[in-house]
Structures are given as structure tokens and as C-alpha cells.
Amino acid sequence: MPPEGSGVDRCILWISVDEAPYTLQRGVAGGAVEIADGHHDVIMDGEAGYQSVSAQHSAQGASLSGLMLDRLGFRRGAQLLKNERADKVAFTFRMLMRYLLIDEERIFSRESVIVRKGDQPTAEDKSLLKFLATGVDGSAVVTVSKSEVQKAARDAKIDVLRELMLEQTEQIDASYSDEELASILETAERTRDYAEAAAVMHQEEIDTARSTLSESRKEHRGNEANIADLRAMRLRFEELRNTFVSDIERLAGLEEGGFLLQKFAAMNCPLCGANPEHQHHDHRLDLVKQQQRAAEAEIRKIEVELNELDAALEELSADIAEGYQRSQLLQKKMEDEAATLRNLIADERIIRPRFLEAVEVLRVLRDDQERREEVGRLEARVVALKEQKIPSRPKATDFDPSITTDEAHSIAKVVKEVLVAWGYPGIETVSFDLSTQDLIVDGKERRNNGKGVRAILHSAFQVAILIYCHEKGRPHPKFLILDSPLLAYREPTPDYEKSEDDEALAQTGLAERFYMHLASISNIGQFIVIENATPPSTLPADVNQIRYDRGEGLFPSLAE
């Protein structure tokens, strides 16, 4: 610990996010960070909004980095692309500091304005700028394994395929070659087809026999029903004949009674012995004769009907006899057809097993053929995997960590507006080169300028990013710390020799306009400039100027 820290046990930082004040407190020895709402000299237990969080960023647990990013409006769990294989790294507040604190080494470095360290911008550097400018991170990009991992995975696949080949090969019948198997298969298919045709034909014969027997049984039942109907009809006809015979006998009795009555009328009275001519009783013989004639006529009519009924009965008896005879024939026919069906079913016990046996033989042969084909396919896959070239530097297919041309143009446009506001001399065009991830001003790359110009251009880029995020509604902490941006205005030293560009820049009033511009946009962000040169005296009174002198103390603001 430096001597200035003697007797200090904790550090306190006041911050404000969207005008909401917070106090951060942490022990000098380290440990968790305590947070409370409002500005406090010391955070005590029970303060409003009190939290204790880890100083290390964590995607799951509570951390200072995650808490600050949440309150600034950044999407939780954002990830940046780390390399061409699309490995991911969590977006943290420490990463965000690359666009908030620009130290002296970075501000005039020849390297890209987005580089954290090293010679060339990394995928992480590009992805960070893209996320700040657009809100698009690398979470959706599928990670590609390292070449060593891909080679190991390929070799593992080859080993698995070889094991499958061995398993299939052990089940192959090696007693015949592929050509012999093809010939055997052809013969087995013909045998199966013949057996199938025989089975189908035999089944059709069985179906026909069943249908024929069913029709015969139906016909037999119909014949039996017809015989029953005829017998019932004959019974009714016989009852009718009995009625006719009874009617004839009754009418014959009436006719005979009339005859006797007429004969008795011509005889002497059995009581008094009087002759017919002396008898006074009127027997109305005319009516008796009339009745006698009517009975005779009715008898003749019934006899005609009886003759017709006898003829019908005779015909019915013949039909019944014929029905019985047909029934016997049908019974014999059904017995023959049933015997035929039984014989066909018995033959099926021989024909169907032959077909099933042919099918099973063919299945076994085809399974053997499929195993041989599968071995061939596995061999082809092994060959293809062996010939597969794995790049030494695998790259994700949808790997694109950089901003688009349109986005680069929009950012460069804001950079130009900043430089114009600062009075940068002779400025015409400003572009952001996606290949170098750096600024080109009037056709000259930033790296090809002197230190002083490089520092101004780098500062303009960082200020432009803050303005761009504000205009696009993107989250930004809304503060920027620039260390030695006005290097061109210093006197040459052994470590710093002015170039022609720096000399030309030093002859302009850019320094004053630089401060005035930052003061004019202080409503969108806080700008902290660390410089060795005294700022212009014309700055607005609300610009807070703090002077440090070799650590001897804090002097009052020049503005005051």
C-alpha cells in the first residue's frame, strides 16, 4: 500500500445513474462491495437500497459489474465473440471501461482505436464495438471446436464406425461371395413368388368352396322352407275339402228329406187313414220341390269345386314329393362340397408353410445383403472422414463480429461532426475502415499521423461513440476519461518529438474549441480530461477544474 493509504480502511465512491445517486463502499483490503441508495460518507447497516455484492463479475450471482450493467440498461447475460471459432466471453463493466477510460498509452497508439492491447483488433474488440453500437452480441453464434478437438472427434467417429463394421461383418455369412449371394437371392425370390402364387391360388379355391357351400346351404334352407309352405297349404286345402264334403252331405240330407216329404204327401194319412184327396192340410210341396232343386244345384257346384280342390291337392302332393327329392339331392351336394372344403383346408397346412419358409429364407438372405451394404456404407464414411480436411484455424460459419458498412459510416459521420466542432483543420472526409478498424481522415490513416494528431482523432472517436449511443438510444455510462488528448499542444520532450501534423495542429485553436464542445454536450455525459497544459481561461464557469501539483495537495479550481 502506498504511504498515502496509511490509516485508510475503506474506499467510498459516489456515482449517479440517470440522476439516481448511489454510494459504493469497499474495504482497502478487498472483499465484497457494499451499495446503498443516495450519497453517504459511510454506508451503515440498514441504509436504503443496501446490497452486498461480489467485486468479480458473475453471470448468475450478484456482482458489482452485473448490477451496474443492469442499471445502465444493458441486456443481462450478453456475450461477446472471443475468436473466429465463436468462443464467448461475458460482457462485463471492466470491458466497458475500454470506452470510458482512455489512458495516455492508448490515446496516441498507432493501433486501432478499438484495440485493448496487441497489434491487431481481436474478435472481442470488434464484438464489443458492435454490441455498444447495435445491441447485437455473439450469443446466437454457434461455437466451433478447436482443430484438435475436431480431429479427436473425427478419430472417435472413425473408431465407432469401425466397431459397427466389425459387428456387422461378424453377422455376415462368409460361405458365399457377393456375386453368389445375388444369384441365390434371385433364385429365392422366384421360389417365394411361386410359393406365394400357389398360396394365393389355393386360398382362392378355399374361398370359392366356402362360397359354393354357403350358396348350397342357402338353397337347401330355401327348399326346406318351400316344402314347409306347401305342406301347410295342403293341410289347409284338406281342411277345405272336408268342409266341401260336409256341405255336400248336409245338402244331400235336405234333398232326400224333400223327396220323402213329397212321397209321404201322396200317401193316406198315417193318423186317420184319409186318402190324399180328402186331406185338408197344405204341405206346400211346391216350396219343398224348390228347396230340393236348390240343394241339388248347390251340390253340383260344390262337387265342381271339390274336383278342382282334389286336382290342386294332387299337384301339391307332387310338388312336395319333388321338394323332398330336391332336398335329398341338395343334402348330397352339400356333403360333397363340405368334403371338398375340408380337403382344401387340409392341403393348406402344406402349401402355406412352404410359402412362409420361402419368405423366411428370402428375409435371411436380404438381411445378409443389407449387412454387406451397410459395411460398404460404413467403409465409405470412414474413407470420407479420413479425407476430411480440418482447418488449422476453424471459423464459425456465421462469424461476423464487426459492425456493418452502414453502421461504420454512421459512426464516422458523428466523428466528423465532432472534429468539425473542434475546428480540426482542413477536414473533408472521415471514414471508419473495417479492415483496420480505425479512422481514415481525408484519405490518411490515423496511424500515419503524429502522436498529437493520433490522440485527437482517438479522442474524437470515443466522444463520437458516446454521442452515437445517445442518439440511437443505446445504453452508455455517459462519462468519458481522456488522458492527454491535447498532446500536440505540449512542448517537445525527449519522449515526444512533434511531427509536421502535430505542428500544424498546434497552430490552430482546436484546444479551446475542444473544451468548449465538451462543455456544450455536458448534458448528455460527463467528460474528465487529464492534461499537463492549463485549459483556456475562457471555459464556462460550470466546468470543474482541479489542479494537482506533484502530489503536494489539491489546489482550488482555476475557475474559482
Side-chain angles (χ1 to χ4, degrees), residues 151-450:
K151 289 178 182 178
R154 179 194 62 188
D155 294 342
K157 289 180 181 179
I158 291 175
D159 292 340
V160 172
L161 292 175
R162 284 174 173 168
E163 290 181 4
L164 293 174
M165 287 171 55
L166 179 60
E167 181 181 345
Q168 294 291 337
T169 302
E170 290 176 348
Q171 299 181 47
I172 292 176
D173 188 348
S175 61
Y176 40 76
S177 64
D178 293 346
E179 292 76 12
E180 292 173 336
L181 176 60
S183 177
I184 294 172
L185 261 174
E186 184 177 354
T187 302
E189 287 177 351
R190 287 199 300 269
T191 302
R192 190 278 315 274
D193 292 341
Y194 293 150
E196 183 179 13
V200 170
M201 183 180 298
H202 189 74
Q203 185 61 46
E204 290 177 352
E205 291 177 352
I206 291 176
D207 294 340
T208 301
R210 281 200 178 100
S211 178
T212 302
L213 178 59
S214 177
E215 290 296 327
S216 296
R217 287 173 175 171
K218 182 178 179 181
E219 184 180 0
H220 182 264
R221 289 194 298 270
N223 185 67
E224 290 293 322
N226 186 53
I227 292 174
D229 292 340
L230 292 175
R231 292 180 61 186
M233 186 180 295
R234 185 175 67 178
L235 181 60
R236 289 195 296 272
F237 282 3
E238 288 176 348
E239 291 177 353
L240 181 59
R241 187 179 188 284
N242 293 334
T243 301
F244 284 169
V245 172
S246 175
D247 290 342
I248 291 174
E249 291 177 349
R250 177 178 56 80
L251 292 171
L254 289 175
E255 189 273 336
E256 183 178 356
F259 172 78
L260 292 176
L261 184 59
Q262 291 181 48
K263 185 175 183 181
F264 291 154
M267 296 177 59
N268 293 335
C269 177
L271 296 176
C272 64
N275 292 326
E277 62 270 14
H278 298 291
Q279 295 176 6
H280 302 288
H281 180 71
D282 187 1
H283 295 285
R284 297 295 306 270
L285 294 179
D286 54 336
L287 294 178
V288 174
K289 289 181 180 181
Q290 184 179 358
Q291 183 180 12
Q292 185 181 12
R293 286 194 297 271
E296 291 174 352
E298 185 65 22
I299 289 173
R300 286 193 298 271
K301 179 180 177 183
I302 293 176
E303 286 177 344
V304 171
E305 292 178 353
L306 183 59
N307 291 334
E308 293 176 354
L309 183 59
D310 288 339
L313 282 170
E314 184 177 355
E315 185 176 352
L316 278 174
S317 297
D319 290 341
I320 291 172
E322 183 180 353
Y324 281 127
Q325 184 179 4
R326 180 176 178 78
S327 179
Q328 292 175 353
L329 294 175
L330 287 174
Q331 186 67 36
K332 180 61 170 62
K333 180 183 179 184
M334 287 189 297
E335 292 174 357
D336 294 341
E337 290 172 350
T340 301
L341 180 59
R342 286 194 297 273
N343 293 334
L344 289 172
I345 292 175
D347 293 340
E348 185 183 23
R349 297 171 185 169
I350 300 174
I351 295 175
R352 182 169 292 276
R354 290 177 181 172
F355 168 67
L356 296 177
E357 181 181 359
V359 170
E360 179 62 18
V361 170
L362 183 60
R363 185 193 65 78
V364 172
L365 292 172
R366 283 179 173 172
D367 287 347
D368 192 77
Q369 184 184 48
E370 288 179 0
R371 292 190 188 96
R372 294 171 188 246
E373 292 174 351
E374 180 64 17
V375 169
R377 287 192 292 268
L378 294 173
E379 288 177 343
R381 290 180 62 185
V382 169
V383 172
L385 286 173
K386 286 182 177 179
E387 295 177 351
Q388 180 182 359
K389 294 182 179 180
I390 297 177
S392 58
R393 294 184 59 186
K395 182 177 180 180
T397 55
D398 51 354
F399 176 81
D400 184 16
S402 183
I403 58 176
T404 64
T405 302
D406 290 341
E407 291 159 354
H409 176 73
S410 298
I411 293 174
K413 183 179 178 181
V414 180
V415 173
K416 180 179 179 180
E417 293 172 356
V418 171
L419 291 173
V420 170
W422 291 356
Y424 188 88
I427 187 168
E428 294 292 337
T429 61
V430 177
S431 62
F432 186 81
D433 186 9
L434 294 178
S435 61
T436 62
Q437 296 287 309
D438 209 346
L439 295 173
I440 298 177
V441 179
D442 293 335
K444 187 175 182 180
E445 295 184 5
R446 189 187 69 90
R447 69 177 66 189
N448 295 331
N449 292 284

Side-chain angles (χ1 to χ4, degrees), residues 427-547:
I427 187 168
E428 294 292 337
T429 61
V430 177
S431 62
F432 186 81
D433 186 9
L434 294 178
S435 61
T436 62
Q437 296 287 309
D438 209 346
L439 295 173
I440 298 177
V441 179
D442 293 335
K444 187 175 182 180
E445 295 184 5
R446 189 187 69 90
R447 69 177 66 189
N448 295 331
N449 292 284
K451 276 188 177 182
V453 175
R454 294 201 298 270
I456 282 295
L457 296 181
H458 194 151
S459 300
F461 174 79
Q462 300 297 344
V463 172
I465 290 297
L466 188 151
I467 296 174
Y468 182 88
C469 290
H470 173 73
E471 292 176 347
K472 298 295 183 180
R474 294 287 308 136
H476 193 284
K478 300 178 182 179
F479 75 87
L480 178 61
I481 304 174
L482 300 174
D483 186 0
S484 304
L486 300 174
L487 185 66
Y489 288 86
R490 298 184 190 175
E491 293 297 326
T493 65
D495 296 332
Y496 170 52
E497 183 178 350
K498 287 187 178 182
S499 66
E500 294 182 3
D501 298 327
D502 294 347
E503 288 287 359
L505 186 62
Q507 301 304 316
T508 68
L510 185 143
E512 182 176 357
R513 297 182 66 174
F514 167 83
Y515 283 113
M516 294 298 291
H517 177 253
L518 295 184
S520 70
I521 59 174
S522 61
N523 62 310
I524 68 170
Q526 181 182 15
F527 300 92
I528 301 174
V529 180
I530 302 174
E531 263 297 349
N532 291 331
T534 302
S537 60
T538 56
L539 293 181
D542 58 350
V543 176
N544 189 16
Q545 301 181 45
I546 301 175
R547 178 181 175 185

Side-chain angles (χ1 to χ4, degrees), residues 55-70:
Q56 300 296 324
H57 180 84
S58 173
Q60 289 79 26
S63 65
L64 177 61
S65 173
L67 183 65
M68 294 300 298
L69 293 176
D70 284 345

Side-chain angles (χ1 to χ4, degrees), residues 86-102:
D87 285 332
K88 313 294 192 310
V89 60
F91 172 64
T92 66
F93 195 83
R94 183 181 294 274
M95 291 181 179
L96 189 58
M97 287 300 297
R98 302 177 196 175
Y99 285 83
L100 307 179
L101 173 58
I102 315 302

